[in-house]
Amino acid sequence: MSSPGWSRAAAAFVLTTALGGTGAWAAPASFVQHRVIAGETLASIGERYLRTPTLWRDLQALNNIADPQKLVPGSIVKLPRRMVRPAGLAVAQVEFVQGVATGTMPAGKEAAAAPTPLAAGDALTEGTKLTVPDDGYLRLKLADGSVVRVLADSDVELKRLRGKRPGASYQSVIEVHKGKVESEVAPQPRGRTFEVQAPGAVASVRGTRFDVAIGHEGQMCAAVTEGTVLMKPRKARKNGKTAMVAAGQGAVFDGKGQLNSRQSLPDAPDLSAMPRDFEDPNTLAMAMAPLTITGSGYEVRIARDKRLHEVVRNGVFKTEKVKFAPLEDGDYTIGVRTINPDGLAGPESQRAIRVHANPVPPLYQSPAPGGRVTSEAGQLVCSEVAGAGGVLFEVASDPGFRNVRLHDVRSGDCRIGIGGLPPGNYWWRVASLPKSGGEAQRGPFAAGQPFTVAVAPTTGAVDIDDSGESPTLRWQAGAGDKFRGQLARDEAFTQLVADVELTSPAWTLSGQPRGQYFVRLQARDAEGLAGPFSPARKVRIGAVVRNGAGGGLVTSDGAPIERP
């Protein structure tokens, strides 16, 4: 995503020399470059940048431009540094950007300025106004080697970026209109200037680490973690106080430049209880230590690197519950600072975390949470994730899954039987498997869900009284039990002629033509748990002629002799 200058749509200066290996800016080159935007002419470029705007014709000859009125958008125009206004113009380089942070350059007479998305590598000039959205972050490196970080929901102006000669007398002035900036200021020799301005106050340094936040009413809150910072009213005023703020301290000036307070910064938060792994695919949520002071909060940032340079999430939270939009799977570093009620942030605690949310786990279908199943017929059923290579099932006798009783993989069908599990309380969970990589590359488990394996209700022994026209079945019942009875022409029960619900342990088989049938019963306990069907029993509907011993008489071919 690196593209020197404001490469996509806006004008920018681009140094023709790069940063050296030491991390400091190289000496200013003899040229700076301008990337053309649609509608610009050499005259408008000269009006914007040259000390003598009418010398734009020199730019035409230098750059071999045929038509000064028809410049190609995206092309480069070189400008001799000696001609640029002011003579010692310096730049700030975008090192990292998250979200759609934009910059607006000062407008010339012919080319209207418009906010333009920033990218790593862009070089920004004096007067550029920066806007960072509430999901954004911007890291800049200035010509003197200082680093400025613009946090989420901030409006900042690079009010002054100048250098009288290479390597000396840099002037860097950052004005914060809204939000917060953090600064790591390179040591400043005599004659150099580094200031952060707010509506009512100014913070100036010669080498330190500090941050400045602007409140809703224009108050300036400055917290110092290294070195010292001089804070003073922006405008001279009677009885105006200055404050020399040392490391570990902060100061608050109101919007009119009046010193409100100077105080010690809050302690660094304890992150030892924070989990390392985060597996929710929908959000990145974490809980900090409870806040004990009304009005305090946390400032949180998450970066791809250990130095917290590439910040991908940052925000301020007035509660211990922190929530961000989800991140891609990978390793990150989180930095957390406690903020006191005046808006001053203390030292930062850091911790390595890992996001492991893909492939997402299947959704549970049955049983319902806390549901009851039988060992003989119970199944654990889920909804498989599209594109997954399979599902990993685990069943344990404890919610922490330390005592796993079942561990199995299913492919193509998100269900598994639990035959063999004795009655008791259990927890189950599922994870998706990729199409390649096996269990080693599985996604996160869904939260464990409880269920109970219960003893299956049964009808016990069934007595059949077939002495009359319509046989009657009777059996034993538990308290609250209900039953289901089925009558069929075939033993496989594919030709059902009756399927009834019974509230008492008796069933008279009436209303059917005479003949031979098969019958079976199923018990359900008071909570609705169904047991297995009883073995199929052969039964005869219709009275038959009986002998003295009570047995039925049959014809020579074995058919029962029916009563008239």
Side-chain angles (χ1 to χ4, degrees):
M1 84 186 264
S2 178
S3 55
W6 292 33
S7 59
R8 290 176 297 282
F13 277 120
V14 183
L15 279 182
T16 56
T17 56
L19 288 175
T22 61
W25 282 92
S30 57
F31 292 97
V32 292
Q33 297 179 8
H34 169 77
R35 195 176 299 276
V36 176
I37 63 172
E40 283 190 310
T41 66
L42 278 184
S44 68
I45 293 174
E47 180 68 32
R48 176 176 291 181
Y49 298 128
L50 299 184
R51 288 188 294 173
T52 305
T54 56
L55 294 179
W56 62 264
R57 293 178 179 83
D58 293 354
L59 302 181
Q60 181 179 6
L62 175 67
N63 290 274
N64 297 317
I65 294 173
D67 190 339
Q69 301 297 319
K70 296 181 179 180
L71 304 183
V72 178
S75 61
I76 297 296
V77 175
K78 293 192 298 183
L79 300 96
R81 180 173 289 275
R82 59 181 172 76
M83 297 173 62
V84 174
R85 179 182 65 242
L89 188 68
V91 297
Q93 187 187 47
V94 177
E95 289 197 322
F96 178 80
V97 59
Q98 170 68 25
V100 187
T102 62
T104 305
M105 292 191 67
K109 291 184 178 179
E110 297 183 32
T116 303
L118 300 173
D122 286 349
L124 310 179
T125 59
E126 174 180 296
T128 301
K129 296 180 180 180
L130 306 173
T131 299
V132 178
D134 56 8
D135 62 347
Y137 181 89
L138 188 63
R139 176 184 169 90
L140 306 175
K141 193 159 191 176
L142 306 186
D144 64 0
S146 299
V147 173
V148 175
R149 296 182 290 270
V150 186
L151 276 59
D153 196 24
S154 295
D155 291 334
V156 174
E157 181 180 351
L158 304 179
K159 191 169 184 180
R160 197 169 185 83
L161 296 176
R162 302 189 182 186
K164 292 183 179 179
R165 63 182 184 277
S169 302
Y170 285 110
Q171 298 179 16
S172 304
V173 179
I174 314 297
E175 184 164 8
V176 184
H177 301 287
K178 183 182 77 169
K180 185 173 185 178
V181 298
E182 298 176 346
S183 305
E184 296 178 20
V185 184
Q188 305 292 306
R190 188 173 300 278
R192 289 190 183 183
T193 300
F194 187 99
E195 289 185 352
V196 177
Q197 297 182 351
V202 176
S204 58
V205 298
R206 284 190 177 179
T208 188
R209 290 174 180 253
F210 73 109
D211 58 75
V212 171
I214 305 302
H216 294 297
E217 298 179 358
Q219 67 268 32
M220 179 189 220
C221 307
V224 182
T225 52
E226 288 183 11
T228 56
V229 174
L230 174 63
M231 296 184 65
K232 59 185 179 180
R234 186 164 178 174
K235 295 181 180 179
R237 53 180 294 163
K238 186 177 181 180
N239 299 324
K241 294 182 179 180
T242 63
M244 186 65 74
V245 186
Q249 292 185 328
V252 180
F253 277 71
D254 64 22
K256 297 180 180 179
Q258 181 68 39
L259 176 62
N260 281 355
S261 66
R262 180 164 51 184
Q263 54 192 282
S264 297
L265 299 179
D267 294 333
D270 182 6
L271 304 183
S272 60
M274 178 182 292
R276 180 181 182 274
D277 294 324
F278 294 86
E279 299 183 338
D280 190 335
N282 300 311
T283 187
L284 181 61
M286 56 195 70
M288 303 296 169
L291 295 167
T292 57
I293 301 176
T294 302
S296 59
Y298 291 104
E299 181 181 286
V300 184
R301 57 178 174 160
I302 301 174
R304 297 192 186 105
D305 61 307
K306 294 181 180 179
R307 295 184 300 171
L308 290 166
H309 285 181
E310 299 183 6
V311 173
V312 292
R313 297 289 184 272
N314 73 106
V316 173
F317 302 85
K318 291 297 185 180
T319 172
E320 57 267 19
K321 295 180 180 180
V322 173
K323 183 178 291 187
F324 290 109
L327 286 169
E328 295 179 355
D329 285 6
D331 294 321
Y332 297 87
T333 301
I334 184 171
V336 184
R337 305 170 72 185
T338 303
I339 301 177
N340 71 11
D342 289 322
L344 297 174
E348 184 175 66
S349 295
Q350 298 181 5
R351 181 176 176 83
I353 63 172
R354 178 173 178 257
V355 176
H356 177 216
N358 292 285
V360 297
L363 298 176
Y364 293 117
Q365 287 190 345
S366 66
R372 300 166 69 242
V373 296
T374 64
S375 180
E376 296 82 0
Q379 286 192 326
L380 306 177
V381 184
C382 54
S383 177
E384 191 169 358
V385 175
V391 180
L392 174 61
F393 287 84
E394 281 193 348
V395 175
S397 56
D398 64 287
F401 287 82
R402 291 180 294 272
N403 185 19
V404 175
R405 304 293 296 275
L406 185 153
H407 179 100
D408 206 351
V409 172
R410 289 289 185 270
S411 179
D413 192 11
C414 200
R415 67 178 62 229
I416 192 170
I418 56 170
L421 284 179
N425 295 322
Y426 297 91
W427 285 259
W428 69 299
R429 62 182 183 179
V430 286
S432 295
L433 301 179
K435 289 187 175 180
S436 60
E439 290 188 37
Q441 302 298 321
R442 69 164 178 82
F445 278 109
Q449 189 160 287
F451 71 99
T452 297
V453 175
V455 176
T458 63
T459 56
V462 179
D463 295 328
I464 300 179
D465 179 3
D466 57 358
S467 59
E469 180 70 17
S470 300
T472 297
L473 287 67
R474 292 183 175 84
W475 58 92
Q476 297 295 317
D481 284 357
K482 295 181 180 180
F483 308 92
R484 180 183 180 185
Q486 288 186 339
L487 186 68
R489 284 289 189 179
D490 64 315
E491 192 172 0
F493 285 81
T494 61
Q495 302 175 42
L496 285 175
V497 296
D499 190 346
V500 299
E501 298 292 326
L502 305 166
T503 58
S504 61
W507 185 21
T508 298
L509 306 179
S510 59
Q512 300 295 335
R514 286 183 170 186
Q516 181 174 284
Y517 295 85
F518 292 88
V519 66
R520 64 182 183 180
L521 300 167
Q522 182 186 52
R524 291 199 309 272
D525 65 17
E527 296 181 14
L529 181 66
F533 276 101
S534 64
R537 295 278 300 270
K538 189 182 295 185
V539 66
R540 174 91 185 171
I541 295 179
V544 298
V545 178
R546 298 185 179 277
N547 58 27
L553 298 179
V554 298
T555 63
S556 60
D557 58 1
I561 301 174
E562 296 182 351
R563 290 183 182 177

